[in-house]
């Protein structure tokens, strides 16, 4: 299996054997979509080591093809050149970042998103990292014995991501009116991730926009809390570089304005 097409065919067919009625499409694009769907819904059960080996080779090649973005690349961008406090802004796909750790906005099970091809960042990160990530998270949760608390953080390897580690944090879900409790819980997310990163000797950390989107935390207020919390933390921990990674233009504009205020 030298080509990506051969690897993809093997991966899809082997996972499809776990079901009775999976029809495998012919086109590469449709087959690739099916692979993601099957990976998304698969429980953290044991799997053939050969399948994992082929998966890792396939996903690693995809990561390279997408293009890897290093912390040095982000720092050299015109907007970031004048950063005075080790905080940088980058708009794009967080799964391309080669930093010490990226932050995943997880749910309380830490097992990733089980909705096929869902657009949340949890799904995207697990889909690029591969099934080894779900198994690792399952091990953490089995040892812990309870759901992850809101505002907490756990670290895993990055698996097939360019980043060495993934820090999984559970942000608050805003159903209705935003409260002070929601705000404190979001602040705790950023603090917990930073503390884990420093404890594990990370020198670069990329945050996603925790709790916005699917968890309905207002973008503006979420960014204000994120920037304030990170800046306060870096006063006594200036060895770590922090990237605010945004995907939507609305968040890029908000963070640009907040970071220019100083």
């Amino acid at each position: 299996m030298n080509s990506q097409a051969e690897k993809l065919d093997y991966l899809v067919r082997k996972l499809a054997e776990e079901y009775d009625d999976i029809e495998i499409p012919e086109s590469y694009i449709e087959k690739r979509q099916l692979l993601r769907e099957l990976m998304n819904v698969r429980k953290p059960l044991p799997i053939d080591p050969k399948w994992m080996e082929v998966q890792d080779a396939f996903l690693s090649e995809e990561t390279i093809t997408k293009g890897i973005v290093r912390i040095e690349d982000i720092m050299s961008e015109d907007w970031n050149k004048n950063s005075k406090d080790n905080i940088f802004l980058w708009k794009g796909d967080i799964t391309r970042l080669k930093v010490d750790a990226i932050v995943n906005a997880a749910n309380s099970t830490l097992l990733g998103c089980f909705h096929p091809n869902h657009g949340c960042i949890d799904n995207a990160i697990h889909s690029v990292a591969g099934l080894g990530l779900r198994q690792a998270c399952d091990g953490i949760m089995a040892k812990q014995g309870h759901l992850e608390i809101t505002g907490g953080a756990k670290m895993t390897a990055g698996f097939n991501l360019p980043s060495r580690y993934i820090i999984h944090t559970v942000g608050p879900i805003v159903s209705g009116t935003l409260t002070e409790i929601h705000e404190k819980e979001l602040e705790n997310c950023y603090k917990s991730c930073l503390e884990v990163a420093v404890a594990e000797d990370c020198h670069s950390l990329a945050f996603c926009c925790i709790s916005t989107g699917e968890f309905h935390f207002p973008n503006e207020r979420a960014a204000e809390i994120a920037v304030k919390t990170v800046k306060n933390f870096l006063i006594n921990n200036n060895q770590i570089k922090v990237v605010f990674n945004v995907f939507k233009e609305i968040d890029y504009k908000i963070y640009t304005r907040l970071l220019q205020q100083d």
Side-chain angles (χ1 to χ4, degrees), residues 13-251:
R13 292 187 182 281
K14 284 296 183 181
L15 282 190
E17 289 176 0
E18 299 180 354
Y19 302 87
D20 296 325
D21 55 354
I22 299 292
E23 183 176 343
I24 300 175
E26 292 296 325
S27 77
Y28 187 96
I29 293 175
E30 291 177 314
K31 197 177 291 185
R32 181 63 184 90
Q33 180 174 317
L34 177 58
L35 175 62
R36 178 168 175 170
E37 292 173 355
L38 293 172
M39 291 171 65
N40 288 162
V41 301
R42 193 178 193 277
K43 294 179 180 180
L45 301 170
I47 195 166
D48 183 0
K50 180 183 178 182
W51 190 94
M52 290 292 282
E53 181 181 346
V54 175
Q55 174 213 241
D56 291 346
F58 179 79
L59 293 178
S60 295
E61 182 62 31
E62 280 194 335
T63 294
I64 293 170
T65 301
K66 276 194 307 186
I68 294 172
V69 179
R70 303 171 303 154
I71 183 67
E72 292 81 7
D73 300 325
I74 294 172
M75 292 169 61
S76 67
E77 291 183 352
D78 289 341
W79 198 93
N80 288 316
K81 284 181 179 179
N82 296 322
S83 173
K84 299 176 182 178
D85 45 15
N86 276 359
I87 296 177
F88 306 93
L89 178 63
W90 187 74
K91 182 174 181 283
D93 179 358
I94 199 170
T95 66
R96 295 178 59 200
L97 294 185
K98 187 177 178 62
V99 291
D100 284 339
I102 63 170
V103 172
N104 177 31
N107 58 55
S108 59
T109 70
L110 290 197
L111 296 182
C113 171
F114 281 83
H115 298 288
N117 282 312
H118 194 251
C120 69
I121 192 168
D122 196 15
N123 189 297
I125 287 174
H126 273 263
S127 295
V128 175
L131 291 184
L133 176 56
R134 180 164 284 171
Q135 292 178 336
C137 290
D138 184 55
I140 290 172
M141 298 308 286
K143 184 176 180 180
Q144 177 167 287
H146 59 81
L147 296 175
E148 182 63 15
I149 62 169
T150 302
K154 294 289 189 296
M155 176 180 275
T156 65
F159 293 90
N160 294 297
L161 291 162
S163 57
R164 283 201 300 151
Y165 301 113
I166 307 164
I167 300 176
H168 309 263
T169 189
V170 181
I173 300 173
V174 180
S175 300
T177 303
L178 182 68
T179 67
E180 291 184 5
I181 293 175
H182 292 136
E183 294 184 343
K184 185 62 178 178
E185 288 174 337
L186 185 61
E187 179 184 334
N188 288 340
C189 286
Y190 284 92
K191 285 182 178 178
S192 296
C193 290
L194 288 161
E195 288 167 357
V196 169
V198 168
E200 295 297 330
D201 198 31
C202 293
H203 296 278
S204 54
L205 173 66
F207 279 105
C208 62
C209 299
I210 303 167
S211 274
T212 60
E214 295 295 320
F215 284 9
H216 307 296
F217 205 109
N219 298 60
E220 179 91 21
R221 186 63 185 130
E224 290 171 353
I225 292 169
V227 171
K228 180 180 179 180
T229 305
V230 169
K231 283 188 174 182
N232 287 341
F233 186 88
L234 292 183
I235 292 172
N236 297 313
N237 297 275
N238 61 6
Q239 76 275 27
I240 187 168
K241 296 177 176 63
V242 173
V243 177
F244 286 117
N245 170 246
V246 299
F247 194 72
K248 297 178 180 178
E249 185 63 23
I250 183 176
D251 291 314

